[in-house]
Amino acid sequence: MTLRRLLLLAGILLILFLGMYSWNQRTRVLDDLAAKLGLEITGAVLTPVRSAQDAAENMWDRYFDLVGVREENEALKQKVDELEARLLANGEDLAELKRLRALVQLPVDQTWRPLGARVLSGRMGPNAVLDSITISRGYSTGGRPGTPLVTHLGLVGRVLKASAHSSIVLLLTDPSSRIAVFSQESRAPGILMGMGTGQKLEVNFVQRDAKVKPGEIIITSGLDGKYPKGIPVARVLRVAPSDYTQFMAIKAEPLVDLQHLEEVLLLESTGAPRPLEPSEAPKEFVGPPAPKSATP
């Protein structure tokens, strides 16, 4: 392209520019068009940027909300756990209160003083060969050797060995246990013998003519001087004549669940005389009137 043509083109463009400038000065059309176009371009650019900013802010706010909700959930969960633990503890306290109330209501006469004790463990140490438990009373707190133990259901056993504040109790199921008993209804005397853990008890030396029946309750007779009279001990399961002796063969089961003991009562002897039963009370002497004394 020659210089002449370039100059001609530049002149034409200058004339057009000056013409459009003059026309725009009078009409403002180009300024309005440029402003609108600029606004559209600016809006098109800023709208996604603003949307991204709003999304980021919303996400940040939701994150903090979620963090707050999570912390609140953790606090509520911890509170629920604490309430559940408290509820379980209250339930255990209520169960213990029911057991202790039943123990307190056990009727005993003035010759025996009831003392509550907790079961600390089952068979352990050198006494593991015995059917025994360890309790929280010793010879200084009422748990002297020979002291009977009961629950509200019946007899448990007696203290075998004692330290100052704990003792070993020989359960009535131990093979060395011997208890003088009566059948509650037929009043047949006998000796209750333990046969070991998980084994049925035996009632020996019961006469063949005794009217003992299955389901009858066996109670202490007190004739051996070891236990108070009238404490329930066991329930008769089977009764049959013995094949080897002149006595009856009687099987029984303990009334107390000896494998799940938690609290027991010790019956400490007070040394007071035993009250006489109505059948033992001395009868009034009936006879002729005493002679009158002679008057001088």
PDB file of all heavy atoms in Angstrom, residues 284-290:
ATOM      1  N   GLU A 284     -50.705 -73.827 135.329  1.00  0.00           N
ATOM      2  CA  GLU A 284     -51.112 -73.434 136.687  1.00  0.00           C
ATOM      3  C   GLU A 284     -51.492 -74.679 137.483  1.00  0.00           C
ATOM      4  O   GLU A 284     -52.217 -75.557 136.991  1.00  0.00           O
ATOM      5  CB  GLU A 284     -52.296 -72.475 136.608  1.00  0.00           C
ATOM      6  CG  GLU A 284     -52.747 -71.967 137.962  1.00  0.00           C
ATOM      7  CD  GLU A 284     -53.931 -71.028 137.856  1.00  0.00           C
ATOM      8  OE1 GLU A 284     -54.334 -70.738 136.720  1.00  0.00           O
ATOM      9  OE2 GLU A 284     -54.432 -70.596 138.915  1.00  0.00           O
ATOM     10  N   PHE A 285     -50.993 -74.784 138.710  1.00  0.00           N
ATOM     11  CA  PHE A 285     -51.278 -75.950 139.551  1.00  0.00           C
ATOM     12  C   PHE A 285     -52.728 -75.882 140.038  1.00  0.00           C
ATOM     13  O   PHE A 285     -53.200 -74.851 140.493  1.00  0.00           O
ATOM     14  CB  PHE A 285     -50.324 -75.974 140.753  1.00  0.00           C
ATOM     15  CG  PHE A 285     -50.625 -77.093 141.711  1.00  0.00           C
ATOM     16  CD1 PHE A 285     -50.240 -78.387 141.418  1.00  0.00           C
ATOM     17  CD2 PHE A 285     -51.308 -76.844 142.891  1.00  0.00           C
ATOM     18  CE1 PHE A 285     -50.518 -79.415 142.303  1.00  0.00           C
ATOM     19  CE2 PHE A 285     -51.595 -77.868 143.777  1.00  0.00           C
ATOM     20  CZ  PHE A 285     -51.195 -79.165 143.492  1.00  0.00           C
ATOM     21  N   VAL A 286     -53.401 -76.996 139.821  1.00  0.00           N
ATOM     22  CA  VAL A 286     -54.779 -77.097 140.278  1.00  0.00           C
ATOM     23  C   VAL A 286     -54.865 -78.235 141.302  1.00  0.00           C
ATOM     24  O   VAL A 286     -54.488 -79.365 141.014  1.00  0.00           O
ATOM     25  CB  VAL A 286     -55.746 -77.373 139.107  1.00  0.00           C
ATOM     26  CG1 VAL A 286     -57.178 -77.528 139.618  1.00  0.00           C
ATOM     27  CG2 VAL A 286     -55.648 -76.267 138.078  1.00  0.00           C
ATOM     28  N   GLY A 287     -55.347 -77.970 142.497  1.00  0.00           N
ATOM     29  CA  GLY A 287     -55.432 -78.987 143.537  1.00  0.00           C
ATOM     30  C   GLY A 287     -56.328 -78.517 144.667  1.00  0.00           C
ATOM     31  O   GLY A 287     -57.005 -77.488 144.571  1.00  0.00           O
ATOM     32  N   PRO A 288     -56.348 -79.232 145.744  1.00  0.00           N
ATOM     33  CA  PRO A 288     -57.197 -78.842 146.886  1.00  0.00           C
ATOM     34  C   PRO A 288     -56.689 -77.553 147.499  1.00  0.00           C
ATOM     35  O   PRO A 288     -55.504 -77.217 147.403  1.00  0.00           O
ATOM     36  CB  PRO A 288     -57.054 -80.013 147.827  1.00  0.00           C
ATOM     37  CG  PRO A 288     -55.751 -80.637 147.495  1.00  0.00           C
ATOM     38  CD  PRO A 288     -55.582 -80.466 146.022  1.00  0.00           C
ATOM     39  N   PRO A 289     -57.577 -76.784 148.093  1.00  0.00           N
ATOM     40  CA  PRO A 289     -57.160 -75.523 148.731  1.00  0.00           C
ATOM     41  C   PRO A 289     -56.198 -75.792 149.884  1.00  0.00           C
ATOM     42  O   PRO A 289     -56.256 -76.818 150.547  1.00  0.00           O
ATOM     43  CB  PRO A 289     -58.469 -74.905 149.222  1.00  0.00           C
ATOM     44  CG  PRO A 289     -59.397 -76.061 149.345  1.00  0.00           C
ATOM     45  CD  PRO A 289     -59.020 -77.049 148.289  1.00  0.00           C
ATOM     46  N   ALA A 290     -55.297 -74.870 150.063  1.00  0.00           N
ATOM     47  CA  ALA A 290     -54.329 -75.006 151.145  1.00  0.00           C
ATOM     48  C   ALA A 290     -55.073 -74.922 152.468  1.00  0.00           C
ATOM     49  O   ALA A 290     -56.042 -74.168 152.634  1.00  0.00           O
ATOM     50  CB  ALA A 290     -53.295 -73.890 151.064  1.00  0.00           C
TER      51      ALA A 290
END
